[in-house]
Amino acid sequence: MALTAFKSSPFAWFLYATVFFVSGTIGCTLHIISLVLWPISKVYYRHVAMTIARLWLANLTALPEFWSNLEWEIYCPEGDSKYFGKENALIVVNHRSDIDWLIGFAFADRFNMMPATKCFLKSAIKYVPLLGFSFWSIEHPFVKRDWTKDSVTLERQLKSLKEGPFPTWLTIFAEGTRYTEEKYLKSVEYSKKNGLPVLKYHMQPRVKGFALAYSCLKEKFDVIYDGIFIFPDELPSLMHLLLCKPCKVVVLVRRVPMSTIQGENDEEACTKFLRDLYVSKDQLMDEFLQKGTVGWSKFDIGPNRTSLLLTIIWWMIVLTLFAFYLIPAIVAGSKTALYFTGGFSVLVIVGGLIARNFTISQKSSVYGLKRDKKTL
């Protein structure tokens, strides 16, 4: 109880942000240095870049895994779980909450697939302090949500993923945007106008990005993971996690062979597959909410202990710097220490506000309210 109260305090948030900022600054500095390896050997670069990201991004997945009171339930068909973390996979997942991306990373970390899990990220994420540069360094695909421009850059980025020397997961939020009531009603209108099934819990998926990923990666990726995030109580936010408010996520995940996509034309085949998949997602989600089960096995796998160890080490480093260097210097009246503390505090607060702003669905883009041929 006392620990939860401490973690819910502004001082604890500041400490967490400080640990994240310090580890991220060190990590991004190492990322910059590692760029010299790219023209020498992309294989060596990717190994080094992944190691760097693994070391400091443990502080990212620690938020839902070790800091918050997020409760997990994971269900999958019998026999599917033995493949998780051992194969290349396209992951198609719904997009309900502000922190689906973070929950997805934490899920991947449980199978030692963090940071080898990539996402289609909007290009603005590049400018999120520390995270943006790190995601760019480990080759996350970035999109501007303009198909005319994205089709060229995405194809290059996706083909680059095929060169990776280790299993990779590529996550696609095929609805293209976070679920809101306004966007959902627009999707219903679009479905009725075009003779498509009206979905109860999802918006109609956008096909072009998925079709391009399939076309570029089908030779190396053998399977699709159909993922569904269900929040039985309320949708969690970043503040839910920071405040340690009780919240629960149910993850339904199943393997779908890539060979399920059949057709002479990739885009037409992917269109049929993806629309059918979302009808199935909708049915599974409805069944779970009505019955509390879909007949799959509950898979018990806990948080990654290596991530916990790395997080503890980072906290020890930062607290040691505070206790033995910064605080004594401030007590001694060092103006340098005072100026440094003030400037650093401003950076941490501003950086935290910028990062939080990108996770709030009410401030998300209007993408999803308009449909035209230029969009992804």
mmCIF file of all heavy atoms in Angstrom, residues 57-97:
data_model
loop_
_atom_site.group_PDB
_atom_site.id
_atom_site.type_symbol
_atom_site.label_atom_id
_atom_site.label_comp_id
_atom_site.label_asym_id
_atom_site.label_seq_id
_atom_site.Cartn_x
_atom_site.Cartn_y
_atom_site.Cartn_z
ATOM 1 N N LEU A 57 15.386 0.723 -23.316
ATOM 2 C CA LEU A 57 13.933 0.674 -23.474
ATOM 3 C C LEU A 57 13.267 -0.249 -22.461
ATOM 4 O O LEU A 57 12.044 -0.317 -22.391
ATOM 5 C CB LEU A 57 13.568 0.252 -24.898
ATOM 6 C CG LEU A 57 13.789 1.320 -25.971
ATOM 7 C CD1 LEU A 57 13.460 0.778 -27.350
ATOM 8 C CD2 LEU A 57 12.960 2.576 -25.678
ATOM 9 N N ALA A 58 14.082 -0.941 -21.652
ATOM 10 C CA ALA A 58 13.511 -1.695 -20.529
ATOM 11 C C ALA A 58 12.744 -0.757 -19.609
ATOM 12 O O ALA A 58 11.757 -1.144 -18.972
ATOM 13 C CB ALA A 58 14.618 -2.401 -19.754
ATOM 14 N N ASN A 59 13.165 0.512 -19.558
ATOM 15 C CA ASN A 59 12.468 1.499 -18.729
ATOM 16 C C ASN A 59 11.109 1.877 -19.312
ATOM 17 O O ASN A 59 10.268 2.441 -18.605
ATOM 18 C CB ASN A 59 13.323 2.759 -18.575
ATOM 19 C CG ASN A 59 14.563 2.508 -17.752
ATOM 20 O OD1 ASN A 59 14.474 2.012 -16.635
ATOM 21 N ND2 ASN A 59 15.730 2.835 -18.297
ATOM 22 N N LEU A 60 10.908 1.595 -20.586
ATOM 23 C CA LEU A 60 9.617 1.862 -21.214
ATOM 24 C C LEU A 60 8.611 0.767 -20.868
ATOM 25 O O LEU A 60 7.510 1.041 -20.379
ATOM 26 C CB LEU A 60 9.790 1.959 -22.733
ATOM 27 C CG LEU A 60 8.535 2.248 -23.553
ATOM 28 C CD1 LEU A 60 7.997 3.633 -23.238
ATOM 29 C CD2 LEU A 60 8.840 2.130 -25.056
ATOM 30 N N THR A 61 8.998 -0.472 -21.089
ATOM 31 C CA THR A 61 8.087 -1.581 -20.788
ATOM 32 C C THR A 61 7.906 -1.787 -19.281
ATOM 33 O O THR A 61 6.944 -2.420 -18.847
ATOM 34 C CB THR A 61 8.584 -2.884 -21.427
ATOM 35 O OG1 THR A 61 9.932 -3.142 -21.011
ATOM 36 C CG2 THR A 61 8.550 -2.786 -22.949
ATOM 37 N N ALA A 62 8.816 -1.220 -18.491
ATOM 38 C CA ALA A 62 8.676 -1.336 -17.032
ATOM 39 C C ALA A 62 7.425 -0.620 -16.535
ATOM 40 O O ALA A 62 6.858 -1.007 -15.506
ATOM 41 C CB ALA A 62 9.907 -0.760 -16.335
ATOM 42 N N LEU A 63 6.973 0.393 -17.263
ATOM 43 C CA LEU A 63 5.808 1.163 -16.805
ATOM 44 C C LEU A 63 4.557 0.289 -16.719
ATOM 45 O O LEU A 63 3.928 0.212 -15.646
ATOM 46 C CB LEU A 63 5.578 2.364 -17.722
ATOM 47 C CG LEU A 63 4.395 3.271 -17.363
ATOM 48 C CD1 LEU A 63 4.522 3.796 -15.937
ATOM 49 C CD2 LEU A 63 4.291 4.438 -18.352
ATOM 50 N N PRO A 64 4.154 -0.405 -17.784
ATOM 51 C CA PRO A 64 2.984 -1.280 -17.639
ATOM 52 C C PRO A 64 3.275 -2.576 -16.876
ATOM 53 O O PRO A 64 2.369 -3.153 -16.276
ATOM 54 C CB PRO A 64 2.584 -1.581 -19.089
ATOM 55 C CG PRO A 64 3.843 -1.445 -19.876
ATOM 56 C CD PRO A 64 4.605 -0.347 -19.193
ATOM 57 N N GLU A 65 4.524 -3.023 -16.883
ATOM 58 C CA GLU A 65 4.838 -4.329 -16.307
ATOM 59 C C GLU A 65 5.120 -4.297 -14.809
ATOM 60 O O GLU A 65 4.684 -5.182 -14.064
ATOM 61 C CB GLU A 65 6.037 -4.941 -17.037
ATOM 62 C CG GLU A 65 5.765 -5.347 -18.480
ATOM 63 C CD GLU A 65 4.911 -6.602 -18.585
ATOM 64 O OE1 GLU A 65 3.870 -6.692 -17.903
ATOM 65 O OE2 GLU A 65 5.281 -7.498 -19.348
ATOM 66 N N PHE A 66 5.883 -3.312 -14.353
ATOM 67 C CA PHE A 66 6.355 -3.330 -12.977
ATOM 68 C C PHE A 66 5.889 -2.124 -12.147
ATOM 69 O O PHE A 66 5.874 -2.195 -10.918
ATOM 70 C CB PHE A 66 7.890 -3.395 -12.933
ATOM 71 C CG PHE A 66 8.462 -4.520 -13.746
ATOM 72 C CD1 PHE A 66 9.232 -4.278 -14.870
ATOM 73 C CD2 PHE A 66 8.198 -5.832 -13.392
ATOM 74 C CE1 PHE A 66 9.759 -5.313 -15.630
ATOM 75 C CE2 PHE A 66 8.716 -6.879 -14.138
ATOM 76 C CZ PHE A 66 9.490 -6.624 -15.251
ATOM 77 N N TRP A 67 5.550 -1.057 -12.796
ATOM 78 C CA TRP A 67 5.154 0.152 -12.066
ATOM 79 C C TRP A 67 3.652 0.179 -11.814
ATOM 80 O O TRP A 67 3.197 0.453 -10.714
ATOM 81 C CB TRP A 67 5.583 1.379 -12.859
ATOM 82 C CG TRP A 67 5.333 2.694 -12.174
ATOM 83 C CD1 TRP A 67 4.172 3.431 -12.178
ATOM 84 C CD2 TRP A 67 6.255 3.437 -11.383
ATOM 85 N NE1 TRP A 67 4.305 4.570 -11.457
ATOM 86 C CE2 TRP A 67 5.594 4.599 -10.951
ATOM 87 C CE3 TRP A 67 7.578 3.235 -10.993
ATOM 88 C CZ2 TRP A 67 6.202 5.562 -10.154
ATOM 89 C CZ3 TRP A 67 8.196 4.193 -10.205
ATOM 90 C CH2 TRP A 67 7.512 5.343 -9.786
ATOM 91 N N SER A 68 2.885 -0.105 -12.844
ATOM 92 C CA SER A 68 1.440 0.053 -12.781
ATOM 93 C C SER A 68 0.764 -1.143 -12.104
ATOM 94 O O SER A 68 1.413 -2.131 -11.750
ATOM 95 C CB SER A 68 0.874 0.201 -14.195
ATOM 96 O OG SER A 68 0.927 -1.044 -14.876
ATOM 97 N N ASN A 69 -0.557 -1.029 -11.968
ATOM 98 C CA ASN A 69 -1.373 -2.144 -11.478
ATOM 99 C C ASN A 69 -2.170 -2.751 -12.635
ATOM 100 O O ASN A 69 -3.340 -3.107 -12.471
ATOM 101 C CB ASN A 69 -2.344 -1.664 -10.376
ATOM 102 C CG ASN A 69 -1.649 -1.536 -9.029
ATOM 103 O OD1 ASN A 69 -0.718 -2.271 -8.732
ATOM 104 N ND2 ASN A 69 -2.096 -0.597 -8.214
ATOM 105 N N LEU A 70 -1.532 -2.866 -13.769
ATOM 106 C CA LEU A 70 -2.184 -3.449 -14.938
ATOM 107 C C LEU A 70 -2.231 -4.965 -14.797
ATOM 108 O O LEU A 70 -1.207 -5.619 -14.606
ATOM 109 C CB LEU A 70 -1.424 -3.062 -16.209
ATOM 110 C CG LEU A 70 -1.985 -3.598 -17.527
ATOM 111 C CD1 LEU A 70 -3.369 -3.031 -17.803
ATOM 112 C CD2 LEU A 70 -1.041 -3.278 -18.686
ATOM 113 N N GLU A 71 -3.421 -5.517 -14.912
ATOM 114 C CA GLU A 71 -3.619 -6.964 -14.832
ATOM 115 C C GLU A 71 -3.726 -7.535 -16.243
ATOM 116 O O GLU A 71 -4.427 -6.987 -17.095
ATOM 117 C CB GLU A 71 -4.901 -7.272 -14.054
ATOM 118 C CG GLU A 71 -5.211 -8.750 -13.934
ATOM 119 C CD GLU A 71 -6.558 -9.029 -13.288
ATOM 120 O OE1 GLU A 71 -7.169 -8.067 -12.768
ATOM 121 O OE2 GLU A 71 -7.006 -10.194 -13.323
ATOM 122 N N TRP A 72 -3.020 -8.638 -16.481
ATOM 123 C CA TRP A 72 -2.979 -9.261 -17.799
ATOM 124 C C TRP A 72 -3.722 -10.591 -17.808
ATOM 125 O O TRP A 72 -3.631 -11.370 -16.859
ATOM 126 C CB TRP A 72 -1.532 -9.556 -18.204
ATOM 127 C CG TRP A 72 -0.684 -8.375 -18.533
ATOM 128 C CD1 TRP A 72 -0.116 -7.513 -17.635
ATOM 129 C CD2 TRP A 72 -0.263 -7.934 -19.824
ATOM 130 N NE1 TRP A 72 0.628 -6.564 -18.292
ATOM 131 C CE2 TRP A 72 0.561 -6.804 -19.642
ATOM 132 C CE3 TRP A 72 -0.495 -8.395 -21.118
ATOM 133 C CZ2 TRP A 72 1.144 -6.124 -20.700
ATOM 134 C CZ3 TRP A 72 0.086 -7.716 -22.175
ATOM 135 C CH2 TRP A 72 0.885 -6.600 -21.970
ATOM 136 N N GLU A 73 -4.411 -10.850 -18.923
ATOM 137 C CA GLU A 73 -4.892 -12.188 -19.251
ATOM 138 C C GLU A 73 -4.612 -12.413 -20.733
ATOM 139 O O GLU A 73 -4.999 -11.589 -21.569
ATOM 140 C CB GLU A 73 -6.396 -12.347 -18.974
ATOM 141 C CG GLU A 73 -6.754 -12.426 -17.505
ATOM 142 C CD GLU A 73 -8.234 -12.702 -17.274
ATOM 143 O OE1 GLU A 73 -8.937 -13.042 -18.262
ATOM 144 O OE2 GLU A 73 -8.683 -12.563 -16.128
ATOM 145 N N ILE A 74 -3.921 -13.508 -21.050
ATOM 146 C CA ILE A 74 -3.555 -13.802 -22.434
ATOM 147 C C ILE A 74 -4.156 -15.151 -22.816
ATOM 148 O O ILE A 74 -3.981 -16.141 -22.093
ATOM 149 C CB ILE A 74 -2.027 -13.840 -22.615
ATOM 150 C CG1 ILE A 74 -1.405 -12.490 -22.193
ATOM 151 C CG2 ILE A 74 -1.656 -14.159 -24.063
ATOM 152 C CD1 ILE A 74 0.112 -12.491 -22.159
ATOM 153 N N TYR A 75 -4.847 -15.180 -23.938
ATOM 154 C CA TYR A 75 -5.470 -16.413 -24.416
ATOM 155 C C TYR A 75 -5.047 -16.673 -25.858
ATOM 156 O O TYR A 75 -4.947 -15.736 -26.672
ATOM 157 C CB TYR A 75 -6.994 -16.310 -24.369
ATOM 158 C CG TYR A 75 -7.565 -16.143 -22.988
ATOM 159 C CD1 TYR A 75 -7.766 -14.864 -22.454
ATOM 160 C CD2 TYR A 75 -7.919 -17.243 -22.206
ATOM 161 C CE1 TYR A 75 -8.294 -14.704 -21.179
ATOM 162 C CE2 TYR A 75 -8.447 -17.088 -20.935
ATOM 163 C CZ TYR A 75 -8.632 -15.805 -20.426
ATOM 164 O OH TYR A 75 -9.147 -15.646 -19.165
ATOM 165 N N CYS A 76 -4.785 -17.928 -26.167
ATOM 166 C CA CYS A 76 -4.443 -18.302 -27.538
ATOM 167 C C CYS A 76 -4.884 -19.749 -27.789
ATOM 168 O O CYS A 76 -5.039 -20.526 -26.834
ATOM 169 C CB CYS A 76 -2.949 -18.145 -27.802
ATOM 170 S SG CYS A 76 -1.898 -19.211 -26.793
ATOM 171 N N PRO A 77 -5.079 -20.127 -29.051
ATOM 172 C CA PRO A 77 -5.433 -21.524 -29.346
ATOM 173 C C PRO A 77 -4.333 -22.477 -28.889
ATOM 174 O O PRO A 77 -3.150 -22.116 -28.850
ATOM 175 C CB PRO A 77 -5.591 -21.524 -30.868
ATOM 176 C CG PRO A 77 -5.903 -20.110 -31.226
ATOM 177 C CD PRO A 77 -5.128 -19.278 -30.258
ATOM 178 N N GLU A 78 -4.729 -23.679 -28.551
ATOM 179 C CA GLU A 78 -3.779 -24.698 -28.092
ATOM 180 C C GLU A 78 -2.660 -24.896 -29.113
ATOM 181 O O GLU A 78 -2.909 -25.081 -30.302
ATOM 182 C CB GLU A 78 -4.515 -26.025 -27.888
ATOM 183 C CG GLU A 78 -3.705 -27.080 -27.154
ATOM 184 C CD GLU A 78 -3.525 -26.769 -25.687
ATOM 185 O OE1 GLU A 78 -4.454 -26.186 -25.088
ATOM 186 O OE2 GLU A 78 -2.463 -27.122 -25.137
ATOM 187 N N GLY A 79 -1.407 -24.804 -28.646
ATOM 188 C CA GLY A 79 -0.257 -25.059 -29.510
ATOM 189 C C GLY A 79 0.341 -23.834 -30.161
ATOM 190 O O GLY A 79 1.480 -23.877 -30.650
ATOM 191 N N ASP A 80 -0.374 -22.711 -30.163
ATOM 192 C CA ASP A 80 0.159 -21.510 -30.825
ATOM 193 C C ASP A 80 1.306 -20.872 -30.048
ATOM 194 O O ASP A 80 2.258 -20.350 -30.633
ATOM 195 C CB ASP A 80 -0.948 -20.471 -31.026
ATOM 196 C CG ASP A 80 -1.798 -20.747 -32.256
ATOM 197 O OD1 ASP A 80 -1.622 -21.828 -32.857
ATOM 198 O OD2 ASP A 80 -2.639 -19.894 -32.610
ATOM 199 N N SER A 81 1.229 -20.898 -28.721
ATOM 200 C CA SER A 81 2.176 -20.153 -27.894
ATOM 201 C C SER A 81 3.616 -20.619 -28.068
ATOM 202 O O SER A 81 4.555 -19.846 -27.862
ATOM 203 C CB SER A 81 1.779 -20.246 -26.422
ATOM 204 O OG SER A 81 1.778 -21.591 -25.981
ATOM 205 N N LYS A 82 3.830 -21.865 -28.442
ATOM 206 C CA LYS A 82 5.198 -22.385 -28.558
ATOM 207 C C LYS A 82 5.974 -21.719 -29.692
ATOM 208 O O LYS A 82 7.201 -21.805 -29.746
ATOM 209 C CB LYS A 82 5.183 -23.898 -28.743
ATOM 210 C CG LYS A 82 4.558 -24.366 -30.048
ATOM 211 C CD LYS A 82 4.518 -25.888 -30.119
ATOM 212 C CE LYS A 82 3.886 -26.382 -31.419
ATOM 213 N NZ LYS A 82 3.805 -27.865 -31.470
ATOM 214 N N TYR A 83 5.262 -21.037 -30.587
ATOM 215 C CA TYR A 83 5.924 -20.375 -31.708
ATOM 216 C C TYR A 83 6.258 -18.913 -31.416
ATOM 217 O O TYR A 83 7.085 -18.323 -32.115
ATOM 218 C CB TYR A 83 5.030 -20.429 -32.955
ATOM 219 C CG TYR A 83 4.772 -21.818 -33.476
ATOM 220 C CD1 TYR A 83 3.576 -22.479 -33.195
ATOM 221 C CD2 TYR A 83 5.721 -22.481 -34.244
ATOM 222 C CE1 TYR A 83 3.324 -23.761 -33.672
ATOM 223 C CE2 TYR A 83 5.480 -23.767 -34.725
ATOM 224 C CZ TYR A 83 4.283 -24.397 -34.431
ATOM 225 O OH TYR A 83 4.049 -25.664 -34.913
ATOM 226 N N PHE A 84 5.618 -18.331 -30.407
ATOM 227 C CA PHE A 84 5.798 -16.909 -30.142
ATOM 228 C C PHE A 84 7.255 -16.604 -29.786
ATOM 229 O O PHE A 84 7.850 -17.236 -28.921
ATOM 230 C CB PHE A 84 4.889 -16.452 -28.999
ATOM 231 C CG PHE A 84 3.413 -16.584 -29.290
ATOM 232 C CD1 PHE A 84 2.495 -16.648 -28.256
ATOM 233 C CD2 PHE A 84 2.945 -16.643 -30.589
ATOM 234 C CE1 PHE A 84 1.131 -16.763 -28.510
ATOM 235 C CE2 PHE A 84 1.591 -16.763 -30.865
ATOM 236 C CZ PHE A 84 0.680 -16.826 -29.822
ATOM 237 N N GLY A 85 7.797 -15.632 -30.467
ATOM 238 C CA GLY A 85 9.181 -15.224 -30.230
ATOM 239 C C GLY A 85 10.211 -15.999 -31.028
ATOM 240 O O GLY A 85 11.408 -15.745 -30.908
ATOM 241 N N LYS A 86 9.743 -16.946 -31.869
ATOM 242 C CA LYS A 86 10.675 -17.795 -32.614
ATOM 243 C C LYS A 86 10.493 -17.692 -34.128
ATOM 244 O O LYS A 86 11.115 -18.446 -34.867
ATOM 245 C CB LYS A 86 10.506 -19.254 -32.178
ATOM 246 C CG LYS A 86 10.762 -19.482 -30.696
ATOM 247 C CD LYS A 86 10.444 -20.911 -30.290
ATOM 248 C CE LYS A 86 10.634 -21.117 -28.798
ATOM 249 N NZ LYS A 86 10.264 -22.484 -28.358
ATOM 250 N N GLU A 87 9.631 -16.770 -34.564
ATOM 251 C CA GLU A 87 9.356 -16.687 -35.993
ATOM 252 C C GLU A 87 9.055 -15.243 -36.385
ATOM 253 O O GLU A 87 8.699 -14.412 -35.548
ATOM 254 C CB GLU A 87 8.171 -17.584 -36.359
ATOM 255 C CG GLU A 87 6.890 -17.244 -35.616
ATOM 256 C CD GLU A 87 5.780 -18.246 -35.861
ATOM 257 O OE1 GLU A 87 5.919 -19.112 -36.737
ATOM 258 O OE2 GLU A 87 4.744 -18.155 -35.161
ATOM 259 N N ASN A 88 9.239 -14.969 -37.668
ATOM 260 C CA ASN A 88 8.872 -13.665 -38.204
ATOM 261 C C ASN A 88 7.351 -13.612 -38.353
ATOM 262 O O ASN A 88 6.737 -14.559 -38.852
ATOM 263 C CB ASN A 88 9.515 -13.449 -39.573
ATOM 264 C CG ASN A 88 11.030 -13.420 -39.495
ATOM 265 O OD1 ASN A 88 11.620 -12.578 -38.820
ATOM 266 N ND2 ASN A 88 11.674 -14.356 -40.181
ATOM 267 N N ALA A 89 6.749 -12.495 -37.943
ATOM 268 C CA ALA A 89 5.295 -12.423 -37.988
ATOM 269 C C ALA A 89 4.811 -10.999 -38.239
ATOM 270 O O ALA A 89 5.392 -10.030 -37.726
ATOM 271 C CB ALA A 89 4.697 -12.935 -36.681
ATOM 272 N N LEU A 90 3.764 -10.897 -39.042
ATOM 273 C CA LEU A 90 2.991 -9.663 -39.158
ATOM 274 C C LEU A 90 1.921 -9.713 -38.078
ATOM 275 O O LEU A 90 1.204 -10.712 -37.960
ATOM 276 C CB LEU A 90 2.319 -9.562 -40.528
ATOM 277 C CG LEU A 90 3.150 -9.100 -41.718
ATOM 278 C CD1 LEU A 90 2.301 -9.147 -42.987
ATOM 279 C CD2 LEU A 90 3.664 -7.685 -41.497
ATOM 280 N N ILE A 91 1.818 -8.685 -37.283
ATOM 281 C CA ILE A 91 0.806 -8.649 -36.228
ATOM 282 C C ILE A 91 -0.256 -7.623 -36.604
ATOM 283 O O ILE A 91 0.062 -6.451 -36.835
ATOM 284 C CB ILE A 91 1.419 -8.284 -34.863
ATOM 285 C CG1 ILE A 91 2.511 -9.290 -34.490
ATOM 286 C CG2 ILE A 91 0.345 -8.238 -33.785
ATOM 287 C CD1 ILE A 91 3.210 -8.968 -33.184
ATOM 288 N N VAL A 92 -1.491 -8.067 -36.686
ATOM 289 C CA VAL A 92 -2.605 -7.170 -36.986
ATOM 290 C C VAL A 92 -3.445 -7.062 -35.728
ATOM 291 O O VAL A 92 -4.026 -8.049 -35.266
ATOM 292 C CB VAL A 92 -3.458 -7.706 -38.149
ATOM 293 C CG1 VAL A 92 -4.597 -6.745 -38.449
ATOM 294 C CG2 VAL A 92 -2.602 -7.912 -39.391
ATOM 295 N N VAL A 93 -3.503 -5.868 -35.149
ATOM 296 C CA VAL A 93 -4.148 -5.699 -33.851
ATOM 297 C C VAL A 93 -5.098 -4.508 -33.886
ATOM 298 O O VAL A 93 -4.892 -3.556 -34.648
ATOM 299 C CB VAL A 93 -3.069 -5.529 -32.748
ATOM 300 C CG1 VAL A 93 -2.315 -4.230 -32.911
ATOM 301 C CG2 VAL A 93 -3.673 -5.639 -31.359
ATOM 302 N N ASN A 94 -6.152 -4.577 -33.073
ATOM 303 C CA ASN A 94 -7.091 -3.457 -32.989
ATOM 304 C C ASN A 94 -6.484 -2.315 -32.191
ATOM 305 O O ASN A 94 -5.450 -2.469 -31.533
ATOM 306 C CB ASN A 94 -8.418 -3.919 -32.368
ATOM 307 C CG ASN A 94 -8.240 -4.481 -30.953
ATOM 308 O OD1 ASN A 94 -7.168 -4.963 -30.589
ATOM 309 N ND2 ASN A 94 -9.296 -4.429 -30.160
ATOM 310 N N HIS A 95 -7.129 -1.157 -32.250
ATOM 311 C CA HIS A 95 -6.533 0.051 -31.662
ATOM 312 C C HIS A 95 -7.603 0.781 -30.858
ATOM 313 O O HIS A 95 -8.299 1.649 -31.376
ATOM 314 C CB HIS A 95 -6.000 0.936 -32.794
ATOM 315 C CG HIS A 95 -4.972 1.926 -32.350
ATOM 316 N ND1 HIS A 95 -4.597 2.082 -31.031
ATOM 317 C CD2 HIS A 95 -4.230 2.829 -33.051
ATOM 318 C CE1 HIS A 95 -3.665 3.033 -30.961
ATOM 319 N NE2 HIS A 95 -3.440 3.501 -32.154
ATOM 320 N N ARG A 96 -7.726 0.439 -29.561
ATOM 321 C CA ARG A 96 -8.794 0.978 -28.731
ATOM 322 C C ARG A 96 -8.325 2.073 -27.768
ATOM 323 O O ARG A 96 -9.045 3.039 -27.529
ATOM 324 C CB ARG A 96 -9.418 -0.153 -27.897
ATOM 325 C CG ARG A 96 -9.992 -1.303 -28.671
ATOM 326 C CD ARG A 96 -11.395 -1.098 -29.154
ATOM 327 N NE ARG A 96 -12.343 -0.707 -28.140
ATOM 328 C CZ ARG A 96 -13.621 -0.451 -28.432
ATOM 329 N NH1 ARG A 96 -14.040 -0.554 -29.671
ATOM 330 N NH2 ARG A 96 -14.461 -0.077 -27.484
ATOM 331 N N SER A 97 -7.165 1.893 -27.165
ATOM 332 C CA SER A 97 -6.758 2.797 -26.087
ATOM 333 C C SER A 97 -5.593 3.685 -26.506
ATOM 334 O O SER A 97 -4.983 3.500 -27.550
ATOM 335 C CB SER A 97 -6.367 1.992 -24.840
ATOM 336 O OG SER A 97 -5.050 1.486 -24.959
#
